[in-house]
Amino acid sequence: PGMHAPIDVVLDVGFGGGEALVALATQRPEEAVVGVDVHTNGVARVLAAIDENDWHQVRVVEDDVLEFLPRLPVGSLAGVRVFFPDPWPKTSQRNRRLARHDVVTQLVDRLRVGGTLHVATDSADYADQAARVCGQDSRLRGGVVARPEWRPVTRFEARGIAEGREPIDLIYERVS
């Protein structure tokens, strides 16, 4: 008695307008979500949803995820979601992408074995880079998957589809 199953904690990186975070928090009240973004309007929208829904399982961090990651315990996350990150399309900007070895290593460090890293993007170049970087981490298994029905459409995704860009989902599981 008094013992509870450990709660699944998911890190939502760069949640933008907050649509997917709010939709998934509504669908999955048993999941704790930590949303990290530097975008004030999205942060305000998620905070309003937390207040309206009286959610105790959702937290918001208004900060750069690279500043926040070291504060998360290793092996503590059930999932990491990176939906439609800034693709930084210019070659000179690629070092700013989240799909880099140093960032992916830190994210995977914080996933528990069995946890998942889910990247969704409509930049084929970004998807290729993410697949290459994730493929080089021996702790991960996975790759491109069909778009999961449960993943909410964000306004960034809707805009991309309207402009003729196809969303690409990559899901990896931490296996060791």
Side-chain angles (χ1 to χ4, degrees):
M3 295 296 285
H4 296 286
I7 190 162
D8 285 344
V9 179
V10 175
L11 180 66
D12 194 319
V13 180
F15 56 79
E19 307 94 345
L21 189 156
V22 169
L24 289 171
T26 303
Q27 291 168 24
R28 303 173 177 182
E30 73 288 350
E31 203 173 67
V33 181
V34 179
V36 184
D37 204 309
V38 290
H39 180 64
T40 310
N41 294 343
V43 168
R45 232 176 265 122
V46 172
L47 289 173
I50 290 171
D51 196 42
E52 282 164 30
N53 295 288
D54 195 31
W55 283 335
H56 299 279
Q57 82 280 17
V58 180
R59 297 286 184 270
V60 175
V61 178
E62 189 172 4
D63 199 359
D64 182 316
V65 70
L66 300 182
E67 300 292 321
F68 178 66
L69 271 178
R71 294 167 43 197
L72 286 175
V74 167
S76 63
L77 299 175
V80 176
R81 297 193 292 246
V82 187
F83 293 167
F84 298 89
D86 193 324
W88 297 108
K90 295 184 182 136
T91 306
S92 62
Q93 298 172 332
R94 293 220 174 123
N95 63 326
R96 298 176 76 172
R97 288 178 170 180
L98 291 174
R100 308 189 318 245
H101 290 285
D102 60 318
V103 179
V104 169
T105 297
Q106 287 184 69
L107 291 172
V108 177
D109 285 348
R110 279 150 187 84
L111 277 177
R112 67 180 187 223
V113 172
T116 57
L117 169 60
H118 183 172
V119 178
T121 181
D122 61 9
S123 161
D125 180 64
Y126 194 98
D128 289 346
Q129 182 177 334
R132 193 167 53 253
V133 172
C134 291
Q136 289 168 344
D137 191 315
S138 63
R139 300 171 295 173
L140 294 177
R141 291 287 174 279
V144 176
V145 297
R147 184 194 192 286
E149 302 246 332
W150 57 261
R151 183 173 61 71
V153 177
T154 68
R155 63 197 164 112
F156 293 106
E157 180 177 8
R159 186 184 310 150
I161 291 168
E163 293 169 5
R165 290 190 303 276
E166 281 295 309
I168 303 162
D169 285 78
L170 302 99
I171 299 182
Y172 293 87
E173 180 182 355
R174 181 169 177 182
V175 293
S176 65

